[in-house]
Amino acid sequence: MSERIWTAGLVVIGDEILSGRTHDKNIAQVASWLQVQGIRLAEVRVVPDVTARIVAAVNALRSENDYLFTTGGIGPTHDDITVDAVAEALGVEVVVHPEARALLTRYYADKPGGLTEGRLRMARVPQGAELIPNRMSGAPGIRLGNIHLMAGVPHITAGMLDALTGTLEGGAVLLTETIGCWTAESEVADVLREVEQAHSACQIGSYPFFREGRVGANFVVRSTGADQLASCVDSLCDGLATAGYDFTPGGI
Amino acid sequence: MSERIWTAGLVVIGDEILSGRTHDKNIAQVASWLQVQGIRLAEVRVVPDVTARIVAAVNALRSENDYLFTTGGIGPTHDDITVDAVAEALGVEVVVHPEARALLTRYYADKPGGLTEGRLRMARVPQGAELIPNRMSGAPGIRLGNIHLMAGVPHITAGMLDALTGTLEGGAVLLTETIGCWTAESEVADVLREVEQAHSACQIGSYPFFREGRVGANFVVRSTGADQLASCVDSLCDGLATAGYDFTPGGI
C-alpha cells in the first residue's frame, strides 16, 4: 500500500534565535501540531532577518513541500521584514489588507499612540492573502495559498495554529508507540536493527538518556498503520525479552 | 572599516526534533558558544534521519560558511547515519578510526556486552577525520577540516563544544547591549528605525513580551565595534527619553 504523505516546511526567522539569545519554542509546537493534522514536518530552516536569506529558504521549502509555515518577523518594527520577503519570493506586491487595517484600528483605538505608522505595518500582506485570526493581540497571521506566516512569540503562534486546526488537508496520522529500557542503546542495537528491517512499514528511533545515575533508552516505533505498528512493537518486545532485557511499555 | 565576518552553519539531524517529541536544545547552545568564538551562526537546518536530506543540507551549508556543525546521529544504533551521510557528501570513504576504536575498547571493557558491533559503529569516521574528545561517554565527536560532527544529547554536545573552545579562528565578537521598555514595541517603532538608520555599524532587534499583565519590549543593539555600540545605545536612550518613554538599561 502506498499512501500519500503530506509534508510541510518551516522557516524560523530571527536573529535572536541564531544569536542564542532566544530559545526557539516554535519548532516543537509546530511539529506537534502538524503531527495531529496528518502532515509531516520535513525540514526546518532558521534564517536571520535578511531579506535574501528569507526569500531563498521560503522558495526552497515551498517548492519541496505541500505546506510552508514561517514564524517571526510579522510585527510592527523595522526588523520585521517577513511580509516583504515572502512577497518578493512569490513575485507579488505588498498591499494593506482592509480587514487587517480595520482590526488594528479597533484594537489600537483606546491604546496610547493609536494606530501609528509602525502598527499599520502589521496590516501589510502579500497580495491575495487572507488573515489567520489572532485572539491574543491585534496583529493577524497571514495565509496565502499553502503558505502560512505566523508570529514569533510562541503563545501567539499557538493561537494561530489553533485557528488553523482542521483547515489543512493531511494524510494518515503517524502513530507512535514507545518502549523504554534501562539499558544502553548500544547493547540492543542489533535487536533494533533486525526488528526494523523485518517491518518495512515502521521506523524505530532510539533515544538514549542518563538519569538517576543509570543509562537507558526509549525506542519509538512509528507507522501510519495501526496493525503494522502493533506487530512491530510485539516483535521488538519479543526481541528484547529473548535477549534478556527488561522493558517498559509506554516508555520511561 | 570592513572586517571579515566568520560564519557557521548548523545541521540538526533527527526525526525526533521534526516530530515534536524532543525539544531541541542544541541550536541555542551552539549559537551561544559560537558568539563567544567570534563566529556567527548564519543558518540552521533541521533534517530527518534520511541520508539524501543530510547530504543536501551538509553540502549547502558547508559551501556557504566557514564552518559546519552537525548534531545528532553519531550513536550506535541503526538510525545513526550521520557519519555515512557526511562521508557521502564529501566523497570520501568511511573508515574505523584506530584511536576511537581504542577509546571504545577501554570504555566498554567492563560494561555488559563489551565492544559489540553496534558500539564499534561509533569508531567509524569519514576518512581523514580526527576526534573531538567526549568526557561524558565513550563515543567521540568527529572533526574533518571545518566540519564538526557532534552528539545529539545536549550535555554531551556541551562537552564537545568545550573541547573545541579556542581551536577555531573567528573574527571580532558581536557585542550586544539591551535596553528594556515597559511599552508596546509598536509605540516606539519609529524611534528604533531612525536610530538604526543613523548607526550603520549597528543592528537593533526588538523583542516584545507580555508579563504580569503588561506589555513591554527589550531592544538589543548589536555591533562588533564597542564605540559604535555605545553611540547607538546613547542615541536610542535619547530618542526614547525625548519621546517620553522610561527605559531600563540592561533590559527587563
Side-chain angles (χ1 to χ4, degrees):
Chain A
M1 185 185 69
S2 163
E3 66 200 358
R4 168 153 186 201
I5 294 172
W6 296 74
T7 67
L10 169 64
V11 181
V12 173
I13 297 159
D15 289 346
E16 72 277 20
I17 310 290
L18 292 171
S19 73
R21 180 182 182 276
T22 301
H23 290 228
D24 169 77
K25 292 186 177 136
N26 285 323
I27 295 174
Q29 77 167 343
V30 170
S32 302
W33 180 85
L34 284 169
Q35 287 274 34
V36 180
Q37 316 305 311
I39 299 166
R40 254 176 245 188
L41 183 56
E43 183 167 336
V44 181
R45 297 193 185 181
V46 188
V47 297
D49 299 327
V50 174
T51 302
R53 307 293 303 283
I54 302 171
V55 169
V58 162
N59 277 335
L61 293 191
R62 79 187 175 98
S63 68
E64 290 168 9
N65 297 286
D66 298 301
Y67 300 104
L68 178 74
F69 292 80
T70 70
T71 60
I74 62 167
T77 55
H78 65 285
D79 55 341
D80 292 306
I81 59 173
T82 299
V83 166
D84 300 84
V86 170
E88 186 176 321
L90 300 175
V92 302
E93 295 295 307
V94 174
V95 299
V96 171
H97 193 292
E99 193 186 330
R101 185 189 190 121
L103 274 170
L104 291 167
T105 303
R106 281 198 300 279
Y107 186 82
Y108 285 112
D110 59 350
K111 295 196 169 55
L115 184 56
T116 59
E117 198 178 327
R119 286 165 170 169
L120 192 56
R121 274 178 68 79
M122 297 189 284
R124 297 167 73 249
V125 302
Q127 191 151 41
E130 41 190 318
L131 305 181
I132 302 171
N134 166 11
R135 288 165 304 180
M136 308 289 173
S137 66
I142 297 164
R143 178 177 185 168
L144 180 53
N146 65 348
I147 301 178
H148 305 80
L149 313 185
M150 301 187 298
V153 178
H155 77 274
I156 299 182
T157 308
M160 292 177 179
L161 289 173
D162 199 41
L164 288 172
T165 297
T167 67
L168 303 186
E169 183 173 4
V173 171
L174 196 63
L175 306 170
T176 69
E177 202 159 320
T178 303
I179 307 294
C181 228
W182 281 108
T183 185
E185 60 169 358
S186 53
E187 275 189 62
V188 295
D190 293 349
V191 176
L192 299 174
R193 189 182 60 247
E194 284 158 19
V195 172
E196 196 194 62
Q197 279 170 353
H199 296 267
S200 61
C202 301
Q203 298 86 43
I204 305 177
S206 173
Y207 305 109
F209 57 77
F210 182 66
R211 299 183 200 154
E212 304 163 29
R214 297 163 71 195
V215 296
N218 281 304
F219 310 123
V220 179
V221 186
R222 304 184 181 96
S223 180
T224 53
D227 292 348
Q228 289 101 320
L229 182 74
S231 162
C232 184
V233 168
D234 284 349
S235 295
L236 179 56
C237 293
D238 286 351
L240 291 170
T242 303
Y245 295 100
D246 287 332
F247 55 87
T248 307
I252 297 169
Chain B
M1 186 184 67
S2 163
E3 65 200 1
R4 166 148 188 205
I5 295 172
W6 296 74
T7 67
L10 168 64
V11 181
V12 174
I13 297 158
D15 289 345
E16 72 278 20
I17 309 290
L18 292 171
S19 73
R21 181 183 181 277
T22 301
H23 290 229
D24 169 77
K25 291 184 177 139
N26 285 324
I27 295 174
Q29 78 168 341
V30 171
S32 302
W33 180 85
L34 284 170
Q35 287 273 34
V36 180
Q37 315 307 309
I39 299 166
R40 255 178 244 187
L41 183 56
E43 183 166 337
V44 180
R45 297 193 185 180
V46 187
V47 297
D49 299 327
V50 175
T51 303
R53 307 291 304 283
I54 302 171
V55 169
V58 162
N59 276 335
L61 294 192
R62 80 186 173 99
S63 68
E64 290 168 8
N65 296 287
D66 298 300
Y67 299 104
L68 177 74
F69 292 79
T70 70
T71 60
I74 62 167
T77 56
H78 64 284
D79 55 341
D80 291 307
I81 59 174
T82 300
V83 167
D84 300 82
V86 170
E88 186 175 323
L90 300 175
V92 302
E93 296 294 308
V94 174
V95 298
V96 171
H97 192 291
E99 192 187 331
R101 185 188 192 121
L103 275 171
L104 292 167
T105 302
R106 281 198 300 280
Y107 186 81
Y108 285 112
D110 59 350
K111 296 199 170 52
L115 185 55
T116 60
E117 198 178 327
R119 287 165 170 169
L120 192 55
R121 275 178 67 79
M122 296 189 285
R124 296 166 75 249
V125 303
Q127 192 152 39
E130 42 190 318
L131 306 181
I132 302 172
N134 166 12
R135 287 165 303 180
M136 306 290 173
S137 65
I142 296 163
R143 178 176 183 167
L144 180 53
N146 64 349
I147 301 178
H148 305 80
L149 313 185
M150 302 186 298
V153 178
H155 76 275
I156 299 182
T157 308
M160 292 176 179
L161 289 173
D162 199 39
L164 288 172
T165 297
T167 67
L168 304 185
E169 183 172 4
V173 170
L174 196 63
L175 306 171
T176 69
E177 201 159 323
T178 303
I179 306 293
C181 227
W182 280 108
T183 185
E185 60 170 357
S186 54
E187 275 189 62
V188 295
D190 292 348
V191 176
L192 298 174
R193 189 181 60 248
E194 284 159 20
V195 171
E196 195 193 61
Q197 279 171 353
H199 296 268
S200 61
C202 301
Q203 298 87 42
I204 305 177
S206 173
Y207 306 108
F209 57 78
F210 182 66
R211 297 182 203 155
E212 305 162 29
R214 296 164 72 195
V215 296
N218 282 305
F219 310 123
V220 179
V221 186
R222 304 184 182 95
S223 180
T224 52
D227 292 348
Q228 288 101 321
L229 182 74
S231 162
C232 185
V233 168
D234 284 349
S235 295
L236 179 56
C237 294
D238 286 351
L240 292 170
T242 304
Y245 296 99
D246 287 333
F247 56 86
T248 307
I252 297 169

